Amino acid sequence: MKHAVVTGKNQCGLEEVDDPQVAENYVKVKIHSAPLCTEFHLFEKGDARPLGGHEAAGEVVDIGPSVNMVKTGDRVVVMPQSGCGVCDLCTSGDHIYCETKKDPKAICGNETGTTTYAQYCVQQDWLLVPIPDDLSYDHASMACCGFGPGFNAMQTMRVMPTDTVLISGLGPVGLGTAAIALYRGARVLGLDMNPYRVELAREMGVEAVVDPTRDSALDEIMDLTDGKGVDKSVECSSVDTAPDFLVKAAARRGQIASPGWGGPMNAREINAKGLTVHGCWHWNHQRDTQAMMGTIRGAKVLLDKFITHTFPFTQVQQALETRSTNTCGKIILHPWED
């Protein structure tokens, strides 16, 4: 099979390697849609190695001897990471927080198979989410990082049409979060200064986008909420100053969800306002699969705006260059297209 490798600073290509094999409860998936995420930073740095990737949707083509939850031919979304499957976190659907993760390479005897910028990957059967017949691979693949963190935030905060939601950072995670909030009928505001993404957010239906670097940014948010502050907010930028800005912009008894990995928050102000803060990494696929797929189905029009570029595998260099410019929404690679 082919997989993507970084060959130098801002240089990437394809390499022919052995197909991964399966064992125990591991499944081999032929990847049809591989969304890009944060791995583009390795491309920019020139960290010469396989490019990684942790998002995929594809078709089951081989199964291990202990597999009993999928069969060959099934269309699936591949969940990131490989939890132990037996701890309380894994059995409750929160495998992303598992502290004793498995090593797929060691179990299956592979040198490959754990990256999704590739034609095949392996994953445990219980970490494969079935794709409904009416959803495309591209749309279904948004159940990973495209929609995953934002969906967790919306579910956790129970976002409703009566809410005003502020999203900090309108990169791929933030735009995906905006799509979900808009689908739920909420009023959505944003924080960003990238002209391309500001315009894309507005095209999707975000009411207003404020430049968080302006001295007047907090006043602008307060003006947009009649001095009350926002009901619910989501930190997607990973900028050090963003979390505390959301604390200041929050209404009394408001909620903040953070898929981002930014800086500290003012605990005194959190307490004084009676705020609730949630850590939201990945979503609970055991409990919320039906709701996730329903959200993807209902938000198809928004998804078609949010997914701004698709590339065949032979154009992985162009895909990563596009991602590095930040003039994009979500980008998807198609590993079997030339």
Side-chain angles (χ1 to χ4, degrees):
M1 73 169 184
K2 293 181 174 66
H3 72 173
V5 292
V6 175
T7 57
K9 187 176 177 62
N10 295 314
Q11 295 295 318
C12 183
L14 299 178
E15 179 183 52
E16 193 76 36
V17 293
D18 291 338
D19 286 7
Q21 304 302 307
V22 295
E24 297 183 5
N25 68 331
Y26 278 85
V27 171
K28 180 179 177 181
V29 177
K30 180 180 181 180
I31 300 172
H32 289 284
S33 298
L36 299 191
C37 198
T38 55
E39 290 82 9
F40 78 97
H41 292 302
L42 301 176
F43 166 77
E44 293 175 327
K45 293 176 182 177
D47 192 352
R49 59 175 175 170
L51 192 54
H54 54 268
E55 303 181 67
E59 177 189 357
V60 173
V61 294
D62 195 11
I63 61 175
S66 302
V67 170
N68 57 27
M69 300 184 72
V70 297
K71 63 184 185 302
T72 42
D74 284 355
R75 301 166 71 243
V76 295
V77 178
V78 182
M79 294 290 97
Q81 302 194 19
S82 194
C84 72
V86 296
C87 70
D88 290 344
L89 292 165
C90 286
T91 56
S92 66
D94 283 327
H95 81 279
I96 203 76
Y97 304 110
C98 178
E99 296 181 291
T100 54
K101 294 180 174 66
K102 289 187 174 182
D103 182 349
K105 288 183 179 179
I107 292 169
C108 297
N110 292 327
E111 294 298 323
T112 62
T114 57
T115 70
T116 58
Y117 300 153
Q119 291 180 314
Y120 295 106
C121 71
V122 296
Q123 183 55 288
Q124 295 180 75
D125 59 352
W126 63 277
L127 289 171
L128 301 174
V129 174
I131 299 174
D133 291 342
D134 63 329
L135 296 185
S136 69
Y137 283 119
D138 280 1
H139 283 172
S141 71
M142 294 300 100
C144 296
C145 292
F147 266 16
F151 176 79
N152 187 352
M154 298 296 105
Q155 289 286 92
T156 301
M157 296 192 296
R158 299 181 180 179
V159 169
M160 300 180 293
T162 53
D163 290 325
T164 294
V165 178
L166 175 63
I167 299 170
S168 172
L170 295 172
V173 172
L175 287 168
T177 303
I180 301 165
L182 290 164
Y183 165 70
R184 287 180 173 234
R187 178 194 186 208
V188 182
L189 309 175
L191 296 171
D192 211 299
M193 73 289 294
N194 178 306
Y196 179 95
R197 287 176 171 164
V198 169
E199 181 59 29
L200 179 54
R202 287 174 174 156
E203 287 179 11
M204 290 172 63
V206 174
E207 181 180 315
V209 181
V210 172
D211 182 344
T213 65
R214 289 200 294 255
D215 291 341
S216 61
L218 183 60
D219 290 337
E220 292 176 56
I221 296 297
M222 289 301 172
D223 287 344
L224 287 164
T225 57
D226 297 324
K228 172 189 170 186
V230 294
D231 305 302
K232 295 165 184 178
S233 59
V234 189
E235 206 305 277
C236 301
S237 71
S238 293
V239 173
D240 280 348
T241 56
D244 204 48
F245 182 95
L246 296 185
V247 171
K248 291 179 172 59
R252 303 263 165 174
R253 303 298 294 172
Q255 297 185 61
I256 300 171
S258 184
W261 300 78
M265 295 180 174
N266 186 324
R268 184 180 295 273
E269 191 165 0
I270 290 171
N271 188 45
K273 287 185 169 182
L275 304 181
T276 302
V277 180
H278 310 277
C280 292
W281 189 0
H282 192 59
W283 59 286
N284 188 305
H285 68 275
Q286 179 172 305
R287 183 186 63 227
D288 289 333
T289 289
Q290 185 174 355
M292 169 61 91
M293 293 304 165
T295 297
I296 291 172
R297 181 179 295 109
K300 282 182 179 180
V301 173
L302 290 166
L303 276 175
D304 289 337
K305 295 178 183 294
F306 170 46
I307 301 170
T308 55
H309 300 77
T310 63
F311 290 91
F313 218 18
T314 51
Q315 294 180 21
V316 63
Q317 173 75 28
Q318 295 95 314
L320 288 160
E321 286 174 352
T322 302
R323 179 64 185 86
S324 293
T325 66
N326 290 327
T327 54
C328 59
K330 196 68 172 174
I331 296 175
I332 299 177
L333 285 172
H334 293 149
W336 291 92
E337 289 184 10
D338 294 328

